[in-house]
Each structure stands twice: as structure tokens, then as C-alpha cells.
Amino acid sequence: MKTKAAVLYEMGSARPYSTSRPFVIGELTLPDPASGEVLVEIAAAGLCHSDLSVVDGSRPRAMPMVLGHEASGIVREVGPNVNKLRPGDHVVFSWIPVCGRCSYCAAGRGSMCEPGVQANIDGTLLNGARRFTDSNSRSCSHHLGVSGFSNFTIAVQESLVKIDEDFPLDRAALFGCAVVTGVGAVVNTANVKAGNSVAIFGMGGVGLSAVMGARAIGAYPIIAVDLVDQKLALAKEVGASHTINATSEDPVDAIKQLTSGGAEYVFESVGSEKALMQAYAATRRGGTTVTIGLPAPDKMFSISALSIVAEERTIKGSYMGSAVPSRDIPRFIQMYQAGILPVDKLHTHTLKLEDINEGFDRLADAQAVRQVISYT
Ligand SMILES: [Zn+2]
Ligand SMILES: [Zn+2]
């Protein structure tokens, strides 16, 4: 079948993208779903900073590629040996396929799935396949098993989580990356408890979701750090008790003052080693620093080696919120439905696929939180 898609042929295009147009809108061909595969009609797909990291070349991937890893849709066709899904099912994509058989999956750590992460690096589905072909017969890579910037996509069933049919699909998409990553970092990776002090660097979709998660479980204070006042205002709306604009005051000093010496849990969702060092410095002795952002692969992080022992510090990485997607996506949706996670506040723009280049300019200029491409 044919599908309309936005294909990235080259990384590192000049800004503005509205002029260089790194995404080319075109028609791709998809075969019938093979064994274990599912054809999904995408309903909504969010523009995430990790997509931008591929566009600007800081996180290189196999080109050409159909990007987009935060998406929801409706199952239209299933291949042989698909036992978990049927046509008509509504789904959210998990951007790490969870094989269910490797040692990590067996230990309940789906976000570390070994063959899943390898397929993502290779730009293939979990089964090693590439299913998109462009009009010049070029095969296009998949992005994290999702490829939401296409009206239709093929995914393996291990990349899909079924959700209730009455849940709005444009809202559902955000649970696949921003919400599961941010809320998961707080409730899974860090296991923050009520009354713990929390600080969060970076108020993008993930950082704001971490604020919501911290608020949901009763952390206090919840200190949000960013460089943009508008984002800090949004942080207050979703549950931050205090905000710090790091352009006008030193965030480390300010956090230490608000928490008598440092927060028990400090999250870094900026993706810069400088912010990570600040997050570490703003963590209390005996506390935990959690890093969620993705710095460029050549960046190093330098701290006092002694401080880890003498101050009993913990540094934790959080990848996709240490999530078990089939457990966490439905439960975070339930929390949203109960009014505990104000996810609506993340959704700042709705776009057509054709407006994707302009959308990535807006994201790069920090003028948007979540822009969602709607296919309906
Ligand atoms: Zn993402
Ligand atoms: Zn696995």
C-alpha cells in the first residue's frame, strides 16, 4: 500500500528548516504486514527533542529515515502470528520494543531490552526488517520501531500497547514518550516518596512530565529550573512549587537555599553535561541525581570521585522512565483520567504533516512544548 510520509534524507541541514526543508513529504510503499507485524494508521505523532537530535545530527541514525517515536494510532491489519492485537484496536507506541524474552525483559526491565535497543540502533524493526520504500526504490529506516511521521506504519506487536478505544488518540500519543519518560523517571527510576524534595532541570515535555509525576506522588518542594520564563510559568501550572530562571540566578545556590543544602532528588532533562553537573551539585549529601536528557555521545561528565563515597551519593540514568510500557502507559493514562496528571498542558500546537519543517524550527527555538501532528 501507499502512505504519505515525511522522510529525513540528510542530517545536519542548516537552519531555518523552513528554508532548508530536511523533511521531504512524499509517498512511500509498505508491504502487507509479515509474521508478528501490524499495520497501524497513525492518528497523532508528537515532535520530540530526540527527533530534533537526529535532524541536527547530534544523534546520528541510518538515513534515510522516517522519524517520529511518540505516536498513537489504530490497528488496520495484522500479520500471521499476531496474538495480542486485532484490527480496530487503539494503540500507543513504545519506542523501545520489549521482546519479552531477553534477560532484561525477564527481570522486568523492558526499557533495557537488549534486542530492542539493538534494533533501534540499526534503524530496523525488532525482527530486523525495514518496510518503507520510497519512489526511487530506496529502503527507509524505521525510527525506534515507530516512525510516526507517516500516515501508516508497520510495527512489531512488541512495540505496541493497547489502550481503551474511548481515550482521545491525540492525547494518547504524548504518553508514549514525554509522559512515560518524565513520570517514569520519578516513580520508577528514582522511586520518589511523598515529602521528598525534588528539583528538575529543563522544562520540555519530559521535564514538565517529571514535575507532574513529582506532584502526583506528593513530593515537596518541587523546584523547576529553565531558561525561559514561559516554560517556568507552565511548570507552576502543572505542579512546581518554586521556579528558577537560570539566566538570572545560579540554580545550584537557589536550590540549596530552598532545600537547606540541596534537594534529595535532582533530575536533569536538558541533555547537557553542564546541566548534569549543576544537578549533581544541587543534590543533597546522601541524595540521588537522575539524568534523563541525552547529551551528544562525545560529552563527558566530571565530578569529585570522593564525593560519591564520602557523601553517599547516587547517580542514576533513566531511559524511557525505566518503564514497563504495557504496565506504565495504561496506568499513567488512568492517572490522567483521574485528574492527577495534567498532560493537556503539554500540548501547545497541532500541525499537519506538511508543516513539520516549521514545527522543528519552533522546537529548536524553544517556542513549543509538544507539537502534535494530527492525521485526522
Ligand atoms: Zn521522545
Ligand atoms: Zn527484551
Side-chain angles (χ1 to χ4, degrees):
M1 69 166 297
K2 302 283 185 198
T3 179
K4 185 165 76 169
V7 183
L8 185 73
Y9 283 93
E10 263 175 44
M11 293 173 282
S13 294
R15 295 279 320 276
Y17 300 132
S18 57
T19 309
S20 61
R21 307 204 82 74
F23 288 96
V24 179
I25 309 293
E27 208 173 58
L28 303 180
T29 307
L30 281 170
D32 291 337
S35 177
E37 293 178 355
V38 178
L39 175 74
V40 182
E41 181 176 3
I42 303 285
L47 274 54
C48 173
H49 219 276
S50 315
D51 299 305
L52 179 61
S53 300
V54 181
V55 177
D56 70 18
S58 57
R59 204 163 162 76
R61 297 279 180 188
M63 296 287 108
M65 180 173 268
V66 183
L67 288 177
H69 63 278
E70 181 183 85
S72 63
I74 302 174
V75 173
R76 291 303 180 202
E77 231 180 283
V78 300
N81 305 312
V82 171
N83 41 34
K84 289 197 290 190
L85 294 161
R86 287 188 299 202
D89 282 348
H90 290 205
V91 290
V92 169
F93 288 78
S94 160
W95 56 258
I96 298 171
V98 177
C99 82
R101 293 182 295 274
C102 73
S103 61
Y104 290 104
C105 286
R109 300 187 68 185
S111 66
M112 290 283 100
C113 175
E114 205 144 32
V117 168
Q118 188 58 50
N120 284 355
I121 292 167
D122 295 341
T124 67
L125 300 178
L126 181 64
N127 59 13
R130 282 188 181 80
R131 297 301 186 203
F132 291 105
T133 310
D134 75 4
S135 54
N136 295 317
S137 307
R138 257 182 106 175
S139 170
C140 301
S141 295
H142 297 259
H143 189 216
L144 310 181
V146 181
S147 295
F149 300 158
S150 174
N151 199 174
F152 288 83
T153 191
I154 285 181
V156 294
Q157 57 181 339
E158 290 86 353
S159 294
L160 300 168
V161 175
K162 187 174 176 328
I163 59 162
D164 287 346
E165 276 164 38
D166 54 5
F167 191 67
L169 284 164
D170 62 339
R171 192 53 70 251
L174 302 183
F175 288 79
C177 183
V179 177
V180 82
T181 304
V183 178
V186 172
V187 305
N188 293 332
T189 314
N191 195 14
V192 175
K193 299 281 195 298
N196 284 152
S197 52
V198 167
I200 301 163
F201 285 70
M203 290 297 114
V206 170
L208 287 163
S209 295
V211 169
M212 289 180 210
R215 177 60 174 261
I217 53 104
Y220 189 86
I222 301 167
I223 305 162
V225 182
D226 201 277
L227 309 174
V228 180
D229 280 336
Q230 230 176 336
K231 291 195 173 172
L232 291 169
L234 197 51
K236 276 232 149 158
E237 283 182 47
V238 303
S241 59
H242 303 77
T243 58
I244 297 166
N245 188 325
T247 58
S248 53
E249 54 183 325
D250 177 5
V252 177
D253 288 346
I255 291 167
K256 283 185 168 172
Q257 223 158 44
L258 287 166
T259 54
S260 326
E264 291 167 293
Y265 293 92
V266 182
F267 297 82
E268 178 281 318
S269 68
V270 177
S272 96
E273 73 288 358
K274 186 178 167 231
L276 180 53
M277 282 195 270
Q278 288 180 324
Y280 187 79
T283 306
R284 164 192 303 258
R285 293 170 66 241
T288 301
T289 312
V290 179
T291 173
I292 321 173
L294 294 167
D298 59 339
K299 297 294 181 200
M300 296 291 151
F301 164 55
S302 174
I303 51 165
S304 148
L306 173 68
S307 66
I308 300 180
V309 179
E311 300 177 9
E312 283 207 349
R313 287 166 171 277
T314 305
I315 304 170
K316 285 188 130 183
S318 180
Y319 200 48
M320 204 172 77
S322 309
V324 176
S326 60
R327 174 196 68 190
D328 291 335
I329 290 173
R331 74 171 170 147
F332 295 160
I333 286 178
Q334 279 184 338
M335 289 167 76
Y336 164 80
Q337 287 172 316
I340 301 169
L341 295 175
V343 175
D344 292 344
K345 303 272 187 193
L346 299 181
H347 187 165
T348 52
H349 299 74
T350 301
L351 311 180
K352 289 198 185 87
L353 187 65
E354 286 77 3
D355 302 327
I356 190 165
N357 289 301
E358 288 76 7
F360 274 96
D361 277 328
R362 213 175 279 122
L363 183 60
D365 292 335
Q367 286 173 354
V369 180
R370 266 314 190 253
Q371 308 176 80
V372 177
I373 293 173
S374 171
Y375 293 91
T376 49

